[in-house]
Amino acid sequence: MPTGPPQAQAAPIVLGSVPPHPSPDRPLEAALRQVLYPVRVDDGQGHGPDPGSAEWRQAQGRLIERSCLAARQPGQETRYAYNRVDLNGDGRPEVVATLLGPLDCGTGGCPLLIFRERQGDLELVSRMTLFRDPLIVGEGRHHGWRDLISRVRLDAAHGYYALLPFDGRRYPSNPSVPPARPLTRSVRGSAYLAWSDDPATRHPLPCAAPQQP
């Protein structure tokens, strides 16, 4: 974590703000649970249901639910907010989501996760710590993916904006250390994930998928 503000500081030029989605997203919830509560379905020696089969998915769901419930305490609910935005220019939007809750966030910020759709499922692209909303999606690109900009908190009175370039595989995992770098010139972009503006966009993340009627 930097010990003081960078010498040259700049702020993004925000062209507009896109509010988080007002409705929960079940496929995203499933993807978030898999990232937060990774489990093994086999016994460690390769014995178990065929990966990807209905039996395997049911077993995975039960194990994830058990792990999730064990990790949570009363009054420590995890919530999430999300947007969809095309980051890599392929015409299909990626999903950017942030987790909100006492178990997930600290004074420096909250987790940010980015998913893309692959064969009907959401695949994790990047996971970042210390995210502070909003997420600015800039007009510049690295390796075909849009640059991201996030705030970095130094203390209650100081902070700066950091540029988060894509390295060909993922975005930086921490905005306060390289390869993230302080924003030294104003760049234009749009704001996403401004969840604090509307509590209705903070959706509870259940430990298990809702039962089908």
Side-chain angles (χ1 to χ4, degrees):
M1 175 73 74
T3 57
Q7 293 298 317
Q9 299 181 64
I13 301 170
V14 179
L15 303 176
S17 181
V18 181
H21 280 276
S23 301
D25 185 282
R26 303 308 180 200
L28 174 58
E29 290 175 3
L32 290 172
R33 283 192 293 267
Q34 289 184 33
V35 172
L36 293 176
Y37 310 106
V39 297
R40 291 193 64 158
V41 177
D42 61 41
D43 62 0
Q45 298 180 347
H47 302 137
D50 292 333
S53 66
E55 183 182 3
W56 185 91
R57 290 182 179 275
Q58 290 174 0
Q60 182 193 47
R62 290 193 298 268
L63 291 171
I64 288 175
E65 180 181 8
R66 189 182 308 165
S67 178
C68 174
L69 291 172
R72 294 186 181 182
Q73 300 294 327
Q76 294 183 326
E77 181 180 51
T78 292
R79 291 177 174 266
Y80 69 96
Y82 73 100
N83 278 112
R84 290 190 177 90
V85 53
D86 185 3
L87 297 176
N88 60 6
D90 66 355
R92 294 180 297 178
E94 279 65 51
V95 180
V96 292
T98 184
L99 299 171
L100 312 163
L103 289 176
D104 309 292
C105 302
T107 56
C110 300
L112 173 74
L113 300 100
I114 301 174
F115 297 90
R116 62 180 169 188
E117 186 175 347
R118 280 288 180 89
Q119 298 179 342
D121 291 325
L122 289 178
E123 175 186 78
L124 182 68
V125 174
S126 283
R127 183 176 184 175
M128 188 179 82
T129 59
L130 306 181
F131 165 68
R132 299 182 68 83
D133 73 306
L135 177 70
I136 309 299
V137 178
E139 294 183 338
R141 294 179 183 270
H142 283 80
H143 297 278
W145 288 65
R146 300 272 290 275
D147 291 339
L148 304 181
I149 302 163
S150 177
R151 293 184 295 157
V152 175
R153 181 186 188 274
L154 295 172
D155 55 42
H158 301 93
Y160 63 93
Y161 286 95
L163 181 70
L164 311 170
F166 192 76
D167 69 0
R169 297 179 59 190
R170 61 179 66 90
Y171 287 99
S173 60
N174 186 330
S176 67
V177 296
R181 57 182 184 266
L183 190 67
T184 56
R185 64 179 182 85
S186 296
V187 297
R188 301 193 304 174
S190 298
Y192 295 83
L193 292 180
W195 57 267
S196 56
D197 293 341
D198 184 1
T201 61
R202 292 175 272 180
H203 310 296
L205 179 62
C207 281
Q211 296 293 323
Q212 296 295 328

